[in-house]
Amino acid sequence: MPDFLRYAGQFVFLVLVMSFIGYFSSQPSYQQTPDGMAQIKLSFAHGGARKIDCRKLTSKEIAKLPANERRPNNCTRERVPVIVQLMLDGEVLYDDVLEATGLSKDGPSRTYQKILVPAGPHSIVARLRDTKRTSGFDYETTHHVVLKPFQNLAVDFKADTGGFSFR
């Protein structure tokens, strides 16, 4: 009889634990995005132009270098910061200066932003400057979209494909 009680007690305990886990796996319900809202995710890694232009070495300068270090150009590694701006219906949602990463400031500038916006029709303008110019933008894309509630719109940037993409 004691074995039966021990097994019955273990069974009851396991049923209680499984019921506890089962209930809290579905309750309380959690919503990441509030009702009537959509989400815009801006995410990219992009390297700006070099801060100082490359200088072509003369043949005498190249000859002075050790054989394993000979190269036609002398280039610094540091890159300019990338300036990015995201606007929704004429209002600025995100505006930042993204510094280059890395110890020598030679890596890509990175960002990942999640922005909640009301669902419905919108005009989105994405702008980016990755050169040494002091005003204006090198890339600008306008996208008209109708966002549904709980929709995620990804905004990415790739210079080799022409700039911003919206998915």
Side-chain angles (χ1 to χ4, degrees):
M1 192 65 156
D3 283 342
F4 174 74
L5 291 176
R6 186 173 64 212
Y7 290 132
Q10 288 176 356
F11 178 77
V12 170
F13 177 75
L14 289 175
V15 167
L16 288 173
V17 169
M18 287 189 294
S19 300
F20 178 79
I21 291 171
Y23 175 77
F24 284 108
S25 68
S26 63
Q27 297 295 327
S29 62
Y30 172 74
Q31 229 174 285
Q32 188 173 358
T33 307
D35 289 332
M37 300 294 276
Q39 196 172 59
I40 297 175
K41 294 180 180 180
L42 172 67
S43 175
F44 66 85
H46 175 68
R50 294 187 188 275
K51 208 168 223 181
I52 299 171
D53 292 332
C54 293
R55 184 178 66 83
K56 189 160 181 72
L57 297 175
T58 65
S59 56
K60 288 181 183 179
E61 290 174 319
I62 293 172
K64 287 180 186 176
L65 292 172
N68 63 337
E69 294 182 17
R70 291 185 181 157
R71 62 196 176 282
N73 298 316
N74 183 15
C75 299
T76 61
R77 296 172 66 171
E78 192 171 357
R79 297 189 175 270
V80 297
V82 172
I83 298 170
V84 64
Q85 188 178 76
L86 188 68
M87 298 176 68
L88 180 77
D89 301 328
E91 305 247 348
V92 176
L93 291 179
Y94 179 68
D95 189 4
D96 202 0
V97 177
L98 307 171
E99 294 294 330
T101 57
L103 293 174
S104 300
K105 300 284 186 199
D106 61 343
S109 301
R110 300 175 189 274
T111 188
Y112 177 72
Q113 302 295 319
K114 290 197 270 185
I115 305 164
L116 290 174
V117 298
H122 296 289
S123 176
I124 301 170
V125 178
R127 298 176 176 151
L128 184 132
R129 180 185 329 147
D130 63 353
T131 58
K132 292 184 271 188
R133 69 192 292 183
T134 56
S135 64
F137 293 93
D138 299 308
Y139 298 91
E140 183 170 339
T141 304
T142 302
H143 184 70
H144 300 284
V145 65
V146 178
L147 295 173
K148 298 177 183 113
F150 309 110
Q151 180 179 349
N152 285 312
L153 176 69
V155 181
D156 192 13
F157 180 81
K158 296 216 184 302
D160 55 347
T161 60
F164 288 96
S165 65
F166 298 82
R167 288 183 249 138

